[in-house]
């Protein structure tokens, strides 16, 4: 897929970033066919670079971080518009975005999510939090749908929900660690209902565990939506996505089981549980086969899916 020396070099760099940065993403990337493996690596590499530009300089202050966000946005717009760019990750991402016609809306929304982190923004309601999750994770799923050739509008919503579910899992696993950095992601109205001050999360772990269990229940709903979209994916991609979803969901299960001790050490999934998750992913894909034979994937023009549109659809469905 990669073309030109600069993109090839960026691809090698991004593949290394995946293996260092995310074991779950590495597993999914290995299960993709080669073309999509390259696309996933280049998208991940750009995301990782942008994230490091913010999280790696969190002590610089809001003004300097704001400047970094503005620079990331400018660099992204440049390469999406066909500019050459000078940073390998941006050169590579521009190549992928043009090749798969990824709408500008998605990467710019992701950068806005990073700006929310830079501002240490807090979220009053679950809806506010999910808007953030849409930006930093749902958009990644939506970008990958373009590389996979997914064109069913309903399935785009499923892909976004899967990204949101994974981010809710990350938040649950890292809630105490994030709080130490001044970042509170749990809905403030939930904390208020539980009688927990946002600044006292580390001292109120039993109560936090109850709030996190509530958040993970919402993640489970989003994982179910994500699995409902597997039928719309090519079989060659569905297994990779299903495996990533099941492994992430297993992290959430471990957090829930560990309760107030979930943050004594980092919650990880053992090799045995990971193998079980992969087997369950295989079953998830197998049950989609009859539906694939009866009703082929629909083909319609792709337009960007905004968070407002997703919320309106969810409200109508309920």
């Amino acid at each position: 897929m990669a073309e030109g020396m600069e993109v090839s070099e960026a691809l090698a760099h991004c593949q290394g970033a995946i293996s260092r940065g995310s074991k779950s993403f590495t597993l999914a990337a290995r299960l993709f066919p080669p073309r999509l493996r390259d696309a996933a690596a280049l998208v991940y590499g750009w995301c990782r670079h942008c994230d490091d530009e913010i999280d790696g300089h969190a002590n610089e202050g809001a003004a300097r971080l704001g400047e970094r966000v503005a620079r990331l946005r400018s660099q992204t717009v440049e390469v999406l518009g066909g500019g050459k760019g000078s940073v390998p990750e941006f050169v590579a991402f521009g190549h992928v975005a043009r090749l798969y016609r990824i709408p500008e809306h998605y990467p710019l929304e992701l950068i806005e999510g990073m700006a929310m982190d830079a501002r240490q923004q807090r979220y009053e309601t679950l809806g506010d939090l999910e808007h953030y999750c849409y930006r930093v994770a749902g958009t990644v799923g939506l970008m990958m749908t373009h590389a996979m050739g997914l064109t069913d509008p309903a399935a785009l919503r499923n892909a976004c929900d899967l990204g949101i579910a994974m981010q809710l899992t990350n938040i649950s696993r890292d809630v105490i660690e994030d709080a130490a950095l001044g970042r509170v992601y749990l809905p403030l109205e939930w904390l208020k209902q539980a009688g927990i001050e946002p600044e006292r999360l580390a001292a109120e772990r039993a109560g936090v565990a109850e709030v996190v269990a509530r958040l993970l229940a919402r993640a489970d709903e989003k994982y179910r939506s994500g699995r409902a979209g597997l039928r719309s994916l090519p079989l060659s991609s569905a297994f990779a996505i299903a495996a990533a979803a099941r492994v992430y969901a297993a992290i959430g299960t471990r957090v829930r089981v560990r309760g107030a001790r979930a943050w004594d050490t980092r919650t990880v999934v053992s090799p045995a549980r990971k193998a079980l998750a992969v087997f369950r992913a295989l079953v998830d894909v197998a049950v989609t086969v009859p539906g694939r034979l009866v009703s082929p994937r629909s083909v319609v023009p792709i337009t960007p899916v905004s968070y407002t549109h997703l919320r309106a659809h969810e409200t109508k469905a309920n």
Side-chain angles (χ1 to χ4, degrees):
M1 183 210 71
E3 298 177 357
M5 183 62 69
E6 289 176 322
V7 176
S8 297
E9 291 174 353
L11 174 60
H13 176 77
C14 293
Q15 287 170 333
I18 287 182
S19 62
R20 292 190 302 271
S22 173
K23 293 181 179 179
S24 298
F25 200 95
T26 299
L27 171 64
R30 286 176 178 171
L31 296 175
F32 274 130
R35 176 183 66 83
L36 290 175
R37 195 178 307 143
D38 288 355
L42 295 176
V43 170
Y44 180 90
W46 172 80
C47 294
R48 182 78 269 163
H49 174 84
C50 292
D51 192 53
D52 287 345
E53 279 294 296
I54 303 303
D55 279 357
H57 301 84
N59 61 349
E60 286 188 344
R64 291 292 300 276
L65 287 176
E67 292 172 2
R68 287 184 177 276
V69 170
R71 185 162 59 250
L72 291 174
R73 187 180 292 111
S74 175
Q75 291 173 308
T76 301
V77 169
E78 178 186 4
V79 297
L80 290 176
K84 187 174 179 60
S86 58
V87 180
E89 290 86 353
F90 283 85
V91 173
F93 181 70
H95 171 75
V96 171
R98 291 189 297 273
L99 182 63
Y100 295 113
R101 300 173 63 188
I102 294 174
E104 180 182 90
H105 175 81
Y106 297 144
L108 294 185
E109 278 284 271
L110 191 149
I111 291 174
E112 178 55 31
M114 293 179 179
M116 295 165 83
D117 279 336
R119 296 192 296 266
Q120 294 191 348
Q121 186 163 326
R122 297 184 179 183
Y123 308 96
E124 185 65 30
T125 67
L126 176 63
D128 296 336
L129 175 61
E130 288 186 357
H131 193 179
Y132 162 77
C133 292
Y134 160 80
R135 282 177 163 158
V136 298
T139 56
V140 178
L142 289 165
M143 285 190 282
M144 284 304 301
T145 63
H146 284 259
M148 290 184 281
L150 182 62
T151 53
D152 183 338
L156 292 178
R157 291 187 287 269
N158 297 133
C160 183
D161 279 347
L162 182 54
I164 290 173
M166 290 179 170
Q167 187 63 23
L168 292 176
T169 301
N170 280 336
I171 288 169
S172 299
R173 179 184 58 187
D174 300 335
V175 62
I176 301 300
E177 180 181 340
D178 286 334
L181 299 174
R183 295 178 177 178
V184 176
Y185 294 100
L186 298 178
L188 297 181
E189 68 174 13
W190 288 12
L191 292 176
K192 184 177 180 179
Q193 291 166 7
I196 301 172
E197 292 292 333
E199 274 67 43
R200 288 185 51 80
L201 295 187
E204 301 281 356
R205 296 194 181 197
V208 169
E210 294 180 4
V211 176
V212 162
R214 187 177 175 185
L215 193 66
L216 288 170
R218 177 58 172 170
D220 288 342
E221 294 176 7
K222 293 293 186 179
Y223 280 121
R224 285 192 290 272
S225 173
R227 287 193 292 274
L230 291 175
R231 189 192 69 80
S232 298
L233 297 176
L235 275 172
S236 59
S237 304
F239 181 46
I241 298 301
R246 284 294 185 181
V247 170
Y248 258 86
I251 293 172
T253 297
R254 290 298 301 152
V255 170
R256 191 157 30 208
V257 168
R258 295 181 74 191
R261 303 198 64 179
W263 307 285
D264 291 351
T265 57
R266 186 171 179 80
T267 298
V268 297
V269 178
S270 69
R273 288 193 175 93
K274 190 171 291 186
L276 177 60
V278 171
F279 173 76
R280 295 183 71 184
L282 185 60
V283 174
D284 290 338
V285 175
V287 300
T288 70
V289 173
R292 292 169 183 272
L293 299 176
V294 173
S295 177
R297 293 185 298 145
S298 62
V299 179
V300 297
I302 295 178
T303 55
V305 181
S306 69
Y307 178 73
T308 302
H309 178 77
L310 291 167
R311 288 284 293 175
H313 173 82
E314 182 177 54
T315 300
K316 183 177 179 181
N318 292 336

